Amino acid sequence: MPLRTREEFIQSIADLDLQIYMFGEKIDDYVDHPVIRPSLNCIAMTYELAQQPEYQDIMLATSHLTGNKINRFTHIHQSTEDLIKKVKMLRLLGQKTGSCFQRCVGMDALNALWSVTYECDEAKGTDYHERFTRYVQYLQENDLVADGAMTDPKGDRSLPPHQQPDPDVYVHVVERRDDGIVVRGAKAHQTGACNSHEVVVMPTIAMREGDEDFAVSFACPANADGIYYIYGRQSCDTRKLEGNDLDIGNANYGGQEALMVFDDVFIPWEHVFLCGEVEFASPLVERFAGYHRSSYGGCKVGVGDVLIGAASVAAEMNGVAKASHIKDKVVEMTHLNETMFACGIACSAEGVRMPAGNYQIDLLLANITKQNVTRFPYEIARLAEDIAGGLMVTMPSAQDLADEKIGPIVEKYLTGQCDTPTIDRMRILRLVENLTLGTAAVGYRTESMHGAGSPQAQRIMIARQSNLDHKKELAKALAGVGTPWQKEKLKTPAASADA
Ligand code: SF4
Ligand code: FE
């Protein structure tokens, strides 16, 4: 099948007849639901840009399985150049949507599973990699979106999966049959789950003996029997139900998170990629997290570009763009944003070839990337709010502006720089509000903190990857630690001067 168009993608999601619940109700016409549609538009952008010649160098890749041109979101990275192009692609999409465009989670899951299934087969004589290769080719040839599902609800964090009072807080195998397995549980805050054709499930933490039923990875259609979705709320989401675009700030685009429930779902063996091999849960988690942490060095930077632009336009509309402290704040925002990008590029350029033949980002630098992302967007958002001014959260509504009597009053008192139409000033301030406090803040702020793992998860990986012993050896060598002290050569400064 050739690459899908934007319209074909949206229709294909509508055809799935997904089981989605929101505000206590089942949503049937979900692709046109005003809360959901902006998130669908975001993924649709990954199809739209792939059709445009000027973007095809970064949006498309050549499949190593078929030699065909495919959307990069279904690609298994074959070089460091591929890894770098991925980061650039994500920055571009962040710029075009000002939001989380969701498709990266599946791409990162596929790349992590590629090497882990290979290594599991080498070690245990399983045949997961062959099955997985067929599955990847199916996704590539049909230009599908796969939702990468890792995060379990986790219940009591002090207990391993097999000791949880309710084992369903981790996705697990409840039945093994000749033809496949039956799984039960849930995956929490699943990005883009209701906009995906397929679900690729992975374990969420390192596992140990006793956790065999929980060390499971598999794929299934997003509309498989027994799967349903409970849509996650976002700050200010009901503004999307008001029928006006002005107060939303970024009316056409937005992110999506959902609670995905597996209510005894049957998975044929052909789509099982790990089942009981507890020692491979940890590398799978680390590699997926590493890939996704590197992705943040692209997507959040693209959204940061939009926010820096919005703050600068707001400053112009307020008539303060030439003030030196405003210029300096814009420089600071740019410095922070480009630092995250530099990290994303660096961990890609330092990527390594895996035994399975694919390329993986440098894990230490990927974790450094994400650690910076847990901080810098907050500072960029703080500076944007500083520049925009308080009006971005105190403005009257679109309905007030439209009112015959009070509309002209709103217009008169919200005027900024003389030739700026008031409505445009309101639009740009609402965009800053959307990115820092509204629906997009889920993707730009909280997701920067917790997406792809909370800050402490990166610090654990940084400690593990930092090769501290090597650094200590460097210091000891230069200081001469452990070498005999030749004190007979000791001279006082005066004595050596006399000599
Ligand atoms: Fe992609 Fe970024 Fe959203 Fe993750 S947070 S799915 S990397 S856009
Ligand atoms: Fe994310």
Side-chain angles (χ1 to χ4, degrees):
M1 168 182 210
L3 294 165
R4 287 176 200 254
T5 63
R6 176 187 197 283
E7 291 69 29
E8 286 167 347
F9 161 67
I10 290 172
Q11 186 56 49
S12 67
I13 295 296
D15 292 343
L16 291 175
D17 191 23
L18 299 172
Q19 308 296 304
I20 301 173
Y21 294 84
M22 187 197 298
F23 301 136
E25 285 175 6
K26 183 160 177 303
I27 308 294
D28 291 325
D29 189 13
Y30 50 86
V31 299
D32 287 320
H33 191 286
V35 172
I36 299 177
R37 181 57 182 239
S39 69
L40 192 62
N41 288 342
C42 273
I43 298 205
M45 187 65 84
T46 71
Y47 287 88
E48 194 176 328
L49 296 186
Q51 301 277 343
Q52 298 177 13
E54 68 265 42
Y55 298 124
Q56 286 184 341
D57 182 45
I58 61 168
M59 293 302 304
L60 302 185
T62 302
S63 168
H64 75 293
L65 297 172
T66 62
N68 294 335
K69 282 285 176 201
I70 53 169
N71 192 299
R72 189 173 294 282
F73 280 98
T74 61
H75 186 46
I76 302 297
H77 312 301
Q78 298 298 305
S79 62
T80 53
E81 195 192 349
D82 270 348
L83 293 168
I84 290 171
K85 282 186 178 174
K86 177 194 89 165
V87 171
K88 290 183 176 175
M89 170 177 77
L90 303 191
R91 183 173 187 169
L92 172 69
L93 281 153
Q95 292 171 342
K96 296 285 186 187
T97 61
S99 183
C100 166
F101 37 88
Q102 309 141 50
R103 200 173 174 184
C104 341
V105 206
M107 167 179 60
D108 294 336
L110 298 182
N111 278 275
L113 271 162
W114 187 267
S115 60
V116 171
T117 51
Y118 180 89
E119 288 167 35
C120 182
D121 287 0
E122 293 282 292
K124 316 272 290 189
T126 45
D127 64 347
Y128 294 133
H129 191 66
E130 214 181 297
R131 296 177 194 174
F132 187 65
T133 303
R134 285 193 289 273
Y135 180 67
V136 171
Q137 192 169 331
Y138 163 72
L139 295 182
Q140 291 181 345
E141 286 179 353
N142 292 282
D143 198 8
L144 298 175
V145 176
D147 171 68
M150 176 164 279
T151 310
D152 292 272
K154 295 200 276 291
D156 183 342
R157 271 68 169 168
S158 71
L159 299 173
H162 71 278
Q163 286 175 9
Q164 293 287 333
D166 179 357
D168 295 353
V169 293
Y170 286 86
V171 169
H172 60 119
V173 180
V174 291
E175 193 185 340
R176 285 176 167 78
R177 297 191 203 160
D178 289 346
D179 52 350
I181 57 176
V182 178
V183 295
R184 187 186 301 160
K187 292 288 184 183
H189 25 83
Q190 285 308 297
T191 301
C194 308
N195 295 331
S196 299
H197 304 101
E198 289 277 316
V199 179
V200 177
V201 169
M202 300 160 284
T204 197
I205 52 168
M207 305 257 167
R208 53 179 113 139
E209 218 182 308
D211 289 331
E212 285 76 7
D213 287 344
F214 303 83
V216 62
S217 175
F218 58 86
C220 63
N223 60 354
D225 274 353
I227 293 194
Y228 57 94
Y229 306 86
I230 307 170
Y231 211 84
R233 293 211 66 169
Q234 298 179 336
S235 175
C236 309
D237 52 6
T238 47
R239 287 192 194 185
K240 292 177 179 168
L241 301 173
E242 292 171 7
N244 83 73
D245 63 342
L246 179 58
D247 286 353
I248 300 172
N250 183 5
N252 291 328
Y253 300 102
Q256 177 192 95
E257 313 290 335
L259 179 65
M260 177 192 289
V261 181
F262 295 85
D263 190 5
D264 289 359
V265 178
F266 172 72
I267 313 291
W269 284 115
E270 175 66 9
H271 287 155
V272 176
F273 310 129
L274 197 71
C275 190
E277 296 80 5
V278 285
E279 65 273 40
F280 285 93
S282 173
L284 185 49
V285 173
E286 279 179 13
R287 291 176 199 181
F288 168 74
Y291 278 119
H292 206 50
R293 287 168 194 172
S294 78
S295 294
Y296 277 43
C299 74
K300 301 304 177 217
V301 179
V303 180
D305 289 328
V306 175
L307 186 52
I308 293 168
S312 301
V313 174
E316 286 169 8
M317 290 176 166
N318 291 349
V320 297
K322 293 201 172 79
S324 62
H325 75 99
I326 296 288
K327 287 191 206 162
D328 193 53
K329 282 165 187 158
V330 173
V331 168
E332 177 62 11
M333 293 163 88
T334 306
H335 159 69
L336 293 168
N337 208 39
E338 298 300 337
T339 302
M340 291 188 287
F341 185 58
C343 289
I345 295 294
C347 67
S348 305
E350 288 287 297
V352 292
R353 190 171 194 275
M354 302 298 283
N358 63 325
Y359 271 70
Q360 182 173 288
I361 31 67
D362 179 281
L363 276 181
L364 173 61
L365 295 182
N367 280 278
I368 300 291
T369 306
K370 175 67 204 328
Q371 184 78 178
N372 283 337
V373 173
T374 64
R375 301 171 185 174
F376 294 178
Y378 284 81
E379 181 61 6
I380 293 171
R382 188 185 73 78
L383 291 165
E385 290 184 39
D386 179 349
I387 293 171
L391 193 60
M392 66 176 236
V393 290
T394 64
M395 265 187 300
S397 67
Q399 288 88 341
D400 294 317
L401 184 66
D403 185 79
E404 210 173 299
K405 183 173 166 213
I406 55 174
I409 307 294
V410 172
E411 178 99 34
K412 171 182 160 82
Y413 288 110
L414 264 55
T415 306
Q417 204 203 28
C418 326
D419 52 3
T420 300
T422 296
I423 187 158
D424 284 346
R425 187 167 179 236
M426 292 176 79
R427 282 188 206 281
I428 210 78
L429 291 176
R430 286 291 182 213
L431 177 60
V432 177
E433 182 196 35
N434 175 269
L435 289 165
T436 55
L437 300 161
T439 50
V442 175
Y444 190 59
R445 289 170 59 129
T446 315
E447 195 177 42
S448 289
M449 177 71 79
H450 294 294
S454 305
Q456 193 56 26
Q458 288 112 60
R459 299 184 82 78
I460 291 167
M461 283 300 290
I462 290 168
R464 214 180 286 166
Q465 300 276 331
S466 67
N467 201 352
L468 192 55
D469 286 341
H470 174 60
K471 293 177 174 65
K472 289 196 279 193
E473 289 310 316
L474 293 173
K476 283 181 190 170
L478 288 179
V481 172
T483 54
W485 185 33
Q486 298 174 325
K487 65 181 172 191
E488 61 282 1
K489 288 190 180 171
L490 193 65
K491 294 176 185 165
T492 63
S496 58
D498 288 349

